[in-house]
Structure formats: structure tokens, C-alpha cells
Amino acid sequence: QFYDVLLETLKERAKFGPVAPVAPPAPFPVAAFHPLRVLLVEDNFGNRQITLMLLRKLGYKPVAVEHGAACLEMLAKQDYDLVLLDVQMPGIDGLETARRIRAWEKEHGRETHVRGAAYVCALTANAIKGDREACLDSGMDDYLAKPIHGADLRALVERVWARKGTPASGPGFLSEQAG
């Protein structure tokens, strides 16, 4: 009897055509659990697009600029929790940009992450030991080697969140210098 009912049910469903497979639910974006304001500073168009795509897959809406001077201008307008900073750029390179960010934060009492300092992560194709130390010595908090991978970026977000706990608040970077 069960077999007959099953057969009839399958025949009825067959009249309506094949049933489209149900896609598995998309993974919940990391940004929903760890909201961060992200600034990407990358002069290479291809690297910038790939990193933006990876950040968007994690649920973020990053802002991207092409060089260090533009980074400092953006920080004057908005606080960012995470700054992904290319090391080798024309004009103000990533090392000098990081030094300027940290100098401003120290001058304005924001030298700790609890007090609103940005988490600055170097992005570089040079994954040799001396470069990592140079990045950290310039005031950066972390270091990712290019090409950037989604898993590495996700792990970085976890480290940022563990350090910061909550998004930054307070006046914009350099806003006091502008006024």
C-alpha cells in the first residue's frame, strides 16, 4: 500500500515537470557578526578589484583609494576600524602612510585600539622576513602577503575584531587639523 501511494505521488509530481534543485543557503556574512568600517589603499587596479570582491563576499562595504595621500584624506572624513594598506605605492608609500596615521593618533590621544586607533594591515607582494618587520616597525598591526586569499582575509577580520571588540567612534582622523 505504501508503495502504491508513493508511486502515485511521484506520477503526480512528474506532470508538473522537473523540480528545480534548492540551492543551499548562502553562508552568513562575517560582517553581520563583526561589523567593521574598512578602507582599502591599493594602487594596482587588479589587486584592488580582487580585494574588494573578497571583502564584499564577507559582507563588507569597503571604501577604496589608490594612494597614501588619498588614504589620509579619507581618514580625515571618517573613522575606519581596518585599513588595508599596500606597502609599495607611488608618492607616499604604505610605510610612511602608517607612520603618519600613528603620529596623528598619538598626538590626539588615540594611540590604543580601545581609544579608536585604526587596525592597519600591510598588503605586500614581498613576503620576506625583513619586510614584515619594516611594516610592523612603521606602526602597522598586521601583514598579509599578496595574492590575498579569502581565508586569510577572514582570519584578519577575526584578529581585528578580537583586538577592537567594537567599531571605532569619535571624530574623524585629522578633522581637528582641518578646522
Side-chain angles (χ1 to χ4, degrees), residues 82-113:
L82 172 60
V83 178
L84 297 168
L85 187 56
D86 183 18
V87 173
Q88 295 180 344
M89 296 181 290
I92 304 171
D93 70 6
L95 300 175
E96 180 59 26
T97 301
R99 287 185 199 99
R100 290 184 187 191
I101 291 169
R102 295 307 186 211
W104 182 90
E105 289 173 340
K106 184 175 182 180
E107 185 178 317
H108 292 86
R110 298 178 67 185
E111 64 274 6
T112 66
H113 294 286

Side-chain angles (χ1 to χ4, degrees), residues 16-120:
F16 299 108
V19 176
V22 177
F28 208 65
V30 173
F33 295 106
H34 303 306
L36 298 170
R37 289 180 295 257
V38 180
L39 177 62
L40 171 62
V41 188
E42 171 64 68
D43 66 315
N44 181 282
F45 178 80
N47 290 338
R48 189 169 57 249
Q49 294 307 308
I50 290 168
T51 307
L52 285 170
M53 178 195 67
L54 292 171
L55 287 164
R56 288 178 183 133
K57 280 187 174 184
L58 294 175
Y60 292 101
K61 296 178 182 175
V63 173
V65 295
E66 297 180 22
H67 49 81
C71 169
L72 297 173
E73 289 174 19
M74 292 303 296
L75 289 167
K77 299 173 188 173
Q78 170 72 50
D79 290 329
Y80 289 91
D81 303 300
L82 172 60
V83 178
L84 297 168
L85 187 56
D86 183 18
V87 173
Q88 295 180 344
M89 296 181 290
I92 304 171
D93 70 6
L95 300 175
E96 180 59 26
T97 301
R99 287 185 199 99
R100 290 184 187 191
I101 291 169
R102 295 307 186 211
W104 182 90
E105 289 173 340
K106 184 175 182 180
E107 185 178 317
H108 292 86
R110 298 178 67 185
E111 64 274 6
T112 66
H113 294 286
V114 173
R115 298 185 70 182
Y119 192 102
V120 180

